[in-house]
Amino acid sequence: MAGASPEFLAKYAMEAVPRYTSYPPATHFHAGVGLADWADWMSRQAPAPQTSIYVHIPFCKTMCWYCGCHTTIPNRHDRIARYLDALDHDICRRAALAPADARVCHIHFGGGSPDMLRPAEFIAIMNRIRTRFTVEPDAEIAVELDPRGVTPDLCAAVAEAGVTRASLGVQDLSEAVQALIHRIQPRATVEAAADMLRVAGIRAINMDMMYGLPGQTCDGVTATARALTDMGADRVSVFGYAHVPWFKKHQRAIPEDRLPGASERFDQMMAAANALAEGGYEAIGFDHFARPQDPLARAARDGGLRRNFQGYTTDPSDLLIGLGASAISECAQGYVQTETDPVRYAERVSSGQDMLVRGVARTPDDYATGLRLADLLCRFALPLSPDDDLDALADMIADGLVRRMGDQLTVTAAGKPYVRNLAARLDPAFRVAAQQHSVAV
Ligand code: SF4
């Protein structure tokens, strides 16, 4: 494939560009934004806003060496219990600030591993959310789960709480790779988790896999993608491992001499895409795949695809309320993020301090740019604006990665892996040091 030429790999794949799950990107967040700003912004929302809630559970049983999430390993369950007390307060405080007529149509539990909660704890959080917010009867309620922590009791609880979609982290099914990333998880464990969820009535199942991990090969990535197809995943996300040991210290345990290079990463990404295409999945954006009948694939076909902190989504909400440590909230006026350390988060919430410790306000121009870049990442096409710097696009056009027809830019098949590079060239605020972002592929 043309996009895999050594010249393009050197030029584009290794370029550090934002993921554009927010605009401005989270690297622009600063400490000058907090609860008072959020309260002010909430008073300026349109009537009855469609609203999304994100709940962060920052706990895991063991640390995977590749992990890029905000998580900790609690030695005893009372640490989780203290966090949940604070989360309960947080839900009440943030609900009191939210527009009284907000309609919640999406709820997402992420982490960490939400399966670290006891069944009754999960139900209690959902009950608190339902009593403090108006949750639409057909709301999508999704939960991320570590297959190793899934039990019949937990599945019964999340089903009782109204969960409609589960997302299982798989990454790579090769034993050798699993040993190198400190995540031993046989295929049978993933199959059993999917079966337990389906028996409990949760039939929509996403699975995540990765490329670029130590010891990974194209054959191994292909085998993992085929296994996910066989297990009947409705959606598959394929993420490239971001090696940032200066930022995530546990990644120092990753043997760097076993990490694939740029060319191997590209080949692994394509191997996953090809195996999933052969399995009947449609490519959604640059890193998601879905069965044709899945709502994400339908949204991609009918123009309803959106982008948020989870990546590609069907969630149409303009208001996102992030609850728990490190959670990000979003509205047209800006972003706020809660304290990332779970202990400090709990102290702040319990003592009545401001738990929103950073964020960024956005201008109407920022908001419009964010929508425009998200549209590009969803559709691979965009009308040019008079403010676009055409010189910045010249290399991608000359290299055949982007085509210009009049005022219309279209990303070519060879250019799709590099759509984030194009977004960065169209981003007027892309002035951030390269090392703050992950490589494009
Ligand atoms: S289970 Fe997920 S969140 Fe937890 S350590 Fe592993 S990768 Fe990180």
Side-chain angles (χ1 to χ4, degrees), residues 193-203 205 207 231-234:
D195 287 348
M196 283 185 261
L197 287 161
R198 290 183 178 122
V199 166
I202 299 163
R203 307 208 64 80
I205 297 191
M207 295 188 188
M231 287 186 237
D234 298 282

Side-chain angles (χ1 to χ4, degrees), residues 359-409:
V360 66
R362 52 183 179 180
T363 63
D365 278 354
D366 290 337
Y367 183 64
T369 301
L371 290 180
R372 190 163 180 260
L373 297 182
D375 193 35
L376 168 67
L377 296 174
C378 290
R379 293 192 308 112
F380 293 107
L382 196 69
L384 273 170
S385 121
D387 297 331
D388 288 332
D389 177 1
L390 292 178
D391 290 344
L393 310 180
D395 58 345
M396 295 192 76
I397 293 175
D399 287 334
L401 303 178
V402 179
R403 191 176 304 122
R404 182 181 171 192
M405 300 261 287
D407 282 348
Q408 187 71 23
L409 288 180

Side-chain angles (χ1 to χ4, degrees), residues 15-99:
E15 207 168 78
V17 289
R19 289 188 59 75
Y20 289 112
T21 52
S22 69
Y23 192 84
T27 43
H28 290 238
F29 289 11
H30 58 86
V33 173
L35 194 62
D37 300 282
W38 184 254
D40 173 46
W41 298 343
M42 287 303 91
S43 69
R44 294 196 260 142
Q45 298 307 298
Q50 276 197 312
T51 301
S52 196
I53 289 178
Y54 173 79
V55 184
H56 192 73
I57 307 296
F59 303 110
C60 293
K61 268 208 182 71
T62 56
M63 183 63 78
C64 311
W65 299 147
Y66 63 87
C67 180
C69 304
H70 289 293
T71 193
T72 54
I73 313 300
N75 296 324
R76 293 178 13 195
H77 197 83
D78 56 1
R79 259 193 73 194
I80 299 179
R82 273 201 300 281
Y83 177 82
L84 294 181
D85 279 347
L87 180 63
D88 191 64
H89 286 299
D90 194 5
I91 294 169
C92 299
R93 282 175 78 184
R94 299 295 295 285
L97 291 175

Side-chain angles (χ1 to χ4, degrees), residues 198-223:
R198 290 183 178 122
V199 166
I202 299 163
R203 307 208 64 80
I205 297 191
N206 304 357
M207 295 188 188
D208 296 344
M209 59 176 287
M210 293 178 82
Y211 64 87
L213 291 169
Q216 265 186 311
T217 61
C218 283
D219 285 349
V221 166
T222 299

